[in-house]
Amino acid sequence: MMSLLTDNTMLAALLALVGLGTLFGGLLGYAAEKFKVGSDPIVQQLDELLPQTQCGQCGFPGCRPYAQSIADGDAINKCPPGGQSTINAIANLLDISAPSLDEEHGEEEIRTIAYIREDECIGCTKCIQACPVDAILGAAKLMHTVIADECTGCDLCVEPCPVDCIDMLPIVENIHQWQWSAPEHSADLIATTASGMHEDAA
Amino acid sequence: MRQIWNTPGGVHPPDNKEQSLTKNIGHLPLPEKLILPLTQHAGTAAKTCVVVGEKVLKGQKLASASAGISAAVHAPSSGWITAIEERSVAHPSGMSAACIEITCDGEDRWIERVSYPNYQQASAMQLRDLIADAGIAGLGGAGFPSAIKLDSGTKKPIDTLIINATECEPYITADDILICERADQIIQGIDIVSHLLGKPKTILIGIENNKPEAIAALNQHCQGTGIEVVYFPTKYPSGGEKQLIYILTGKEVPSGQLPADLGMVCLNSGTAFAIKRAVIDGEPLISRITTLAGEACGVNRNYEILIGTPVSHLLQHNNFDQALCSRLIMGGPMMGFSLASSEVPLIKTSTCILAPSHTEIPDDEPPQPCIRCGLCSEACPASLLPQQLYWYSRAKDHERLQSHNLFDCIECGACSYVCPSNIPLVQYYRSSKGDITNALATKATAAISRERFEFRQVRLEKADIARESKREARRLNTEQAKKMSPSTTQSTGSSAADIIKAAQLRGITKQASPEQQKAKLQRTLLAAQMRLEEAQQRLVQVTNKGSAHQQAQQLASVEAARRKVEQTTQRLTEVSH
Ligand code: SF4
Ligand code: SF4
Ligand code: SF4
Ligand code: SF4
């Protein structure tokens, strides 16, 4: 056998290549099975970027369905709570240019949180059914309340309330949440001409 | 003499330290009221353990440390608790925070003090608890609770203890004068810490060579103690923790790590003094040395102030001239911040009050475009690229800011100091740091919302399936019943048709007619208008008397009510068309 191979180099080369081919083919096949990507990764990534307010303003019942729809070619500017920064991030991910927010779906507003005026609540449980993130606690004919930390400010519980006892109030910033803001007067980014006063393409 | 390493960058602003060094440490008369914020340290607010109206003695605990990173607060003098509410505090935001107000009774009567002069016999845990109980937080300016810093010493082996007496900021001389007058007590404090940490091999005191008297005092008291006094050339900012460690040991604390990871603990000299007071004299942290400097004050000197003393009280006793003063700064000219009001109290981290004249520290000049001179990178002690960071900050490019190590910036202000274009670079970095922290926090909450949303989705699906299977079971049942008694088929058929008809009828009635909708909206509008009126009335009440926080809340609810009225009016017009 050995002598046959050493004598016949052509055959040896052929065998070696076929052997290598089978080996790596097998390896690749195994890897494809082993490291299979379960769900569509792009939908996952898009969903990561959406604000998860779950408000439905985009016309879909939640952020994940909208992410799916974007993956299927829908416009990326339908999410008002996310605003321009989310649109920019999605545009960046998909490597397309960023449009501005589609006003048809609403405007970018400051974030609010729902508060139930508890003495007026009649315990009808309608708001519980509306809340997409189960942020309302209560039981039939008993007072309800919103878990402020879990509320996304989606506004969906306001409409169903028969006695209008839910207020959407802006989040009041306290001293621990306060952050420095950027300086107001900013000069041009860098001086590019002799006068130094022309805007550089930033 | 030990080898000294030279840090990159650095600047040499005028010292301006002589002014406040001509006199010894002074004392002020007792103020009428003391205001003690619950957050005077890095970390979470302390928890109040007194009530309004209670009589307290000097040194009594007013608030205990909460879980995590926190420090206790004690009464600096005896008197009554007259308020526990939001007051404006020394903070760059100028906002208010929870404070305890003591109206002093003038007796200044101490609570019973428990001292441990024989600390050598105490265990590390006992000493650590004593320090925690005394509410000691880093007195150099950062205010990190000392007990927590020393905890790392009991968890990791510490072979080097570094005492920071650098005090590199211009004007500030609080550590300098404390060393000159009370070096012996500082050395005692260092000995306590060394005992707590299990006698580290090396104990170093790092000090800049512009304090010859303090160096002499330290040398005299350190003889025979094994503590080494190391002085080095003056350069701003040598006093940063990482910078000082590098100067003294040549070791760099890697990004994202703590000195304890390298077996080191670094404490301010004023903190060592406070630790001595707490352990040997049984006195919690209720006073500190604060420098008062600036041309707008007739007298420039250091004071041993009671924590909680209003800045105005300090100024009043020093011929302060408001007209001369360009702004009030807490801290030094490089890293300090402007105070919105002089009514804020001095706290544990108040190293200095600076009241400069208009010529001394002029107002900021308008920024010009960056000329790419590169001076900022040369000045940066953290070897960052401030100019690059500035661009990325303007472009809000969070990814690149992080990959260029924005979070290693110690906000020393050296870059802004040298920038010929007067660009407020540090403010850009601070705001970007805030943006990034916020973005991370929003991401975390979004992840929680997503999880809750998906969980609910699954729950609803399950409920659907359960309902479906029940319906299926019912259908099978009726079919079986039908088979059993074929004679009744006719009647059930007609009744099924009836049921569908009734359901359709119900469906129609459920969809409210425009009139009904209009009526409901009108009711809503009426209710909303009433609520708006009520809220406005309440707003007037709280504007007259009530805290800023209450006002803000009331304002918000007026705003909400107003919006509701607007929305409903709009819907009403829509429906009527
Ligand atoms: S509009 Fe609302 S539901 Fe739609 S993606 Fe944005 S936050 Fe999610
Ligand atoms: S409480 Fe109301 S506003 Fe908040 S998430 Fe639930 S439905 Fe939305
Ligand atoms: S403020 Fe930050 S970037 Fe500027 S010199 Fe200091 S460490 Fe460097
Ligand atoms: S010092 Fe100022 S002008 Fe010079 S490179 Fe830095 S930011 Fe630009």
Side-chain angles (χ1 to χ4, degrees):
Chain A
M1 176 76 184
M2 224 41 215
S3 62
L4 182 73
L5 283 185
T6 40
D7 289 348
N8 203 336
T9 46
M10 194 61 196
L11 186 68
L14 213 66
L15 271 179
L17 281 178
V18 168
L20 280 174
T22 333
L23 181 70
F24 284 117
L27 259 179
L28 279 176
Y30 173 72
E33 265 314 302
K34 170 103 189 175
F35 304 110
K36 198 150 122 193
V37 182
S39 66
D40 192 352
I42 193 72
V43 177
Q44 192 80 33
Q45 282 173 19
L46 286 166
D47 193 35
E48 289 280 322
L49 295 177
L50 292 172
Q52 306 301 322
T53 308
Q54 315 292 3
C55 62
Q57 276 172 276
C58 51
F60 295 89
C63 303
R64 174 106 205 172
Y66 180 42
Q68 180 67 54
S69 175
I70 293 179
D72 296 340
D74 200 348
I76 65 169
N77 58 351
K78 293 185 176 178
C79 172
Q84 198 58 45
S85 58
T86 300
I87 296 174
N88 291 350
I90 297 177
N92 201 5
L93 175 70
L94 302 180
D95 205 11
I96 54 178
S97 63
S100 58
L101 184 65
D102 185 351
E103 296 286 330
E104 218 173 87
H105 292 268
E107 284 166 30
E108 187 174 356
E109 282 167 10
I110 53 162
R111 247 200 85 186
T112 54
I113 278 186
Y115 286 94
I116 296 180
R117 287 197 305 282
E118 293 172 354
D119 40 353
E120 289 171 44
C121 170
I122 55 169
C124 70
T125 75
K126 289 222 160 62
C127 54
I128 295 193
Q129 293 158 33
C131 180
V133 292
D134 286 337
I136 305 183
L137 275 181
K141 300 215 175 72
L142 292 174
M143 182 267 282
H144 288 42
T145 196
V146 176
I147 311 170
D149 281 351
E150 310 291 0
C151 173
T152 65
C154 70
D155 212 20
L156 293 180
C157 53
V158 175
E159 178 60 33
C161 179
V163 291
D164 278 317
C165 71
I166 305 181
D167 293 324
M168 299 301 297
L169 299 181
I171 302 167
V172 186
E173 188 189 48
N174 69 23
I175 200 163
H176 304 294
Q177 292 152 344
W178 176 87
Q179 303 280 13
W180 287 87
S181 48
E184 271 165 36
H185 319 283
S186 41
D188 296 346
L189 198 52
I190 33 179
T192 45
T193 64
S195 72
M197 282 306 175
H198 290 273
E199 182 72 36
D200 184 55
Chain B
M1 182 84 198
R2 241 187 132 74
Q3 187 190 348
I4 303 290
W5 277 265
N6 190 11
T7 48
V11 290
H12 295 93
D15 241 353
N16 282 310
K17 293 198 186 241
E18 342 40 83
Q19 297 97 311
S20 52
L21 282 174
T22 52
K23 296 192 178 64
N24 55 0
I25 299 177
H27 291 85
L28 291 171
L30 204 60
E32 199 183 316
K33 286 182 173 168
L34 292 164
I35 300 156
L36 297 140
L38 293 177
T39 317
Q40 303 183 26
H41 47 264
T44 45
K47 281 196 299 258
T48 330
C49 51
V50 287
V51 291
V52 177
E54 198 172 327
K55 176 126 180 59
V56 292
L57 293 173
K58 182 173 184 152
Q60 185 176 337
K61 197 185 270 184
L62 303 178
S64 45
S66 27
I69 298 174
S70 185
V73 179
H74 298 79
S77 186
S78 57
W80 294 272
I81 308 287
T82 38
I84 300 178
E85 61 184 22
E86 303 243 318
R87 291 288 173 85
S88 68
V89 294
H91 192 267
S93 69
M95 286 168 125
S96 336
C99 293
I100 300 176
E101 183 193 75
I102 298 179
T103 304
C104 301
D105 58 10
E107 292 172 22
D108 213 23
R109 191 142 43 89
W110 269 100
I111 198 169
E112 196 190 330
R113 279 165 273 184
V114 191
S115 53
Y116 286 84
N118 299 321
Y119 59 87
Q120 284 94 344
Q121 267 111 56
S123 71
M125 224 34 219
Q126 277 170 320
L127 287 176
R128 184 228 161 253
D129 288 346
L130 277 178
I131 292 169
D133 257 352
I136 296 173
L139 291 159
F144 193 82
S146 306
I148 295 170
K149 196 180 241 187
L150 294 173
D151 259 351
S152 58
T154 51
K155 290 188 191 110
K156 294 189 182 100
I158 300 295
D159 59 17
T160 312
L161 170 61
I162 292 174
I163 301 300
N164 190 346
T166 323
E167 204 165 47
C168 57
E169 269 223 40
Y171 287 97
I172 310 180
T173 55
D175 286 344
D176 190 354
I177 202 135
L178 185 71
I179 295 171
C180 289
E181 295 192 12
R182 305 180 194 169
D184 51 338
Q185 299 189 52
I186 295 176
I187 304 298
Q188 274 180 303
I190 297 174
D191 194 48
I192 297 172
V193 175
S194 143
H195 182 70
L196 194 163
L197 294 176
K199 303 265 175 234
K201 257 200 336 277
T202 326
I203 304 179
L204 305 170
I205 303 180
I207 186 164
E208 284 187 338
N209 64 3
N210 59 354
K211 309 177 184 58
E213 281 173 41
I215 295 172
L218 283 174
N219 274 331
Q220 185 199 332
H221 285 96
C222 285
Q223 255 159 35
T225 56
I227 302 172
E228 218 177 309
V229 182
V230 189
Y231 54 92
F232 44 85
T234 302
K235 177 166 86 174
Y236 179 85
S238 303
E241 194 169 66
K242 290 188 174 181
Q243 279 68 33
L244 181 63
I245 287 176
Y246 182 75
I247 292 173
L248 296 185
T249 66
K251 288 186 195 159
E252 275 188 65
V253 182
S255 173
Q257 282 195 26
L258 294 171
D261 298 325
L262 303 186
M264 295 188 208
V265 163
C266 190
L267 278 187
N268 174 264
S269 54
T271 315
F273 175 76
I275 289 175
K276 182 262 161 185
R277 276 277 183 90
V279 175
I280 298 186
D281 307 320
E283 293 181 9
L285 180 58
I286 54 166
S287 65
R288 65 157 296 137
I289 312 293
T290 296
T291 308
L292 178 66
E295 284 172 8
C297 281
V299 186
N300 280 198
R301 82 187 283 190
N302 284 286
Y303 285 96
E304 181 159 26
I305 53 106
L306 290 180
I307 283 157
T309 305
V311 172
S312 56
H313 182 76
L314 176 64
L315 296 176
Q316 255 167 34
H317 288 89
N318 287 287
N319 311 329
F320 173 64
D321 186 349
Q322 178 69 61
L324 217 59
C325 180
S326 68
R327 58 185 138 166
L328 272 178
I329 298 172
M330 185 168 280
M334 302 293 284
M335 290 183 78
F337 56 88
S338 297
L339 291 178
S341 126
S342 65
E343 286 317 308
V344 302
L346 292 159
I347 57 171
K348 293 176 185 173
T349 53
S350 307
T351 48
C352 176
I353 293 293
L354 190 54
S357 66
H358 291 278
T359 47
E360 204 173 1
I361 298 186
D363 288 337
D364 295 332
E365 280 178 43
Q368 303 290 326
C370 168
I371 55 168
R372 304 203 219 196
C373 62
L375 289 179
C376 49
S377 336
E378 275 167 37
C380 179
S383 306
L384 302 177
L385 298 170
Q387 174 196 16
Q388 228 94 340
L389 290 174
Y390 166 58
W391 296 343
Y392 296 142
S393 175
R394 291 277 304 256
K396 301 209 181 305
D397 189 339
H398 291 176
E399 248 166 63
R400 286 219 179 78
L401 281 170
Q402 275 169 292
S403 65
H404 281 73
N405 298 320
L406 172 69
F407 282 87
D408 281 350
C409 165
I410 57 168
E411 301 176 16
C412 66
C415 51
S416 317
Y417 178 77
V418 295
C419 179
S421 296
N422 303 311
I423 303 174
L425 295 164
V426 187
Q427 202 185 335
Y428 281 104
Y429 308 150
R430 283 176 173 156
S431 98
S432 287
K433 281 183 185 177
D435 285 349
I436 293 176
T437 327
N438 279 351
L440 287 179
T442 337
K443 221 171 185 156
T445 45
I448 296 174
S449 304
R450 179 184 305 117
E451 211 170 273
R452 291 179 77 88
F453 176 68
E454 280 165 7
F455 178 78
R456 181 183 140 96
Q457 236 44 21
V458 172
R459 181 165 61 77
L460 292 184
E461 253 166 49
K462 271 193 194 145
D464 261 354
I465 292 170
R467 224 184 356 255
E468 201 54 51
S469 60
K470 257 193 208 154
R471 202 174 292 149
E472 185 68 21
R474 242 192 339 260
R475 196 178 58 78
L476 284 177
N477 267 347
T478 34
E479 255 171 33
Q480 212 129 51
K482 257 189 268 172
K483 269 191 211 136
M484 300 289 259
S485 53
S487 59
T488 53
T489 317
Q490 199 54 37
S491 64
T492 36
S494 73
S495 75
D498 285 348
I499 291 167
I500 292 168
K501 216 177 201 170
Q504 275 172 344
L505 262 176
R506 247 182 289 136
I508 290 166
T509 42
K510 219 175 183 180
Q511 204 175 25
S513 66
E515 279 71 38
Q516 276 172 320
Q517 273 184 28
K518 218 165 129 185
K520 185 185 175 198
L521 280 172
Q522 265 158 355
R523 279 200 303 276
T524 316
L525 182 60
L526 213 61
Q529 277 166 343
M530 262 160 59
R531 236 182 7 254
L532 179 59
E533 263 169 44
E534 254 175 52
Q536 274 164 343
Q537 275 167 7
R538 257 177 286 152
L539 178 62
V540 175
Q541 280 170 14
V542 276
T543 325
N544 292 337
K545 52 175 189 334
S547 69
H549 177 66
Q550 277 174 327
Q551 281 180 27
Q553 261 187 348
Q554 204 50 48
L555 227 93
S557 60
V558 170
E559 184 53 24
R562 203 183 50 69
R563 239 182 306 130
K564 185 83 197 176
V565 172
E566 265 175 24
Q567 276 174 6
T568 325
T569 331
Q570 203 189 341
R571 290 271 320 277
L572 201 55
T573 44
E574 274 168 23
V575 172
S576 339
H577 284 315

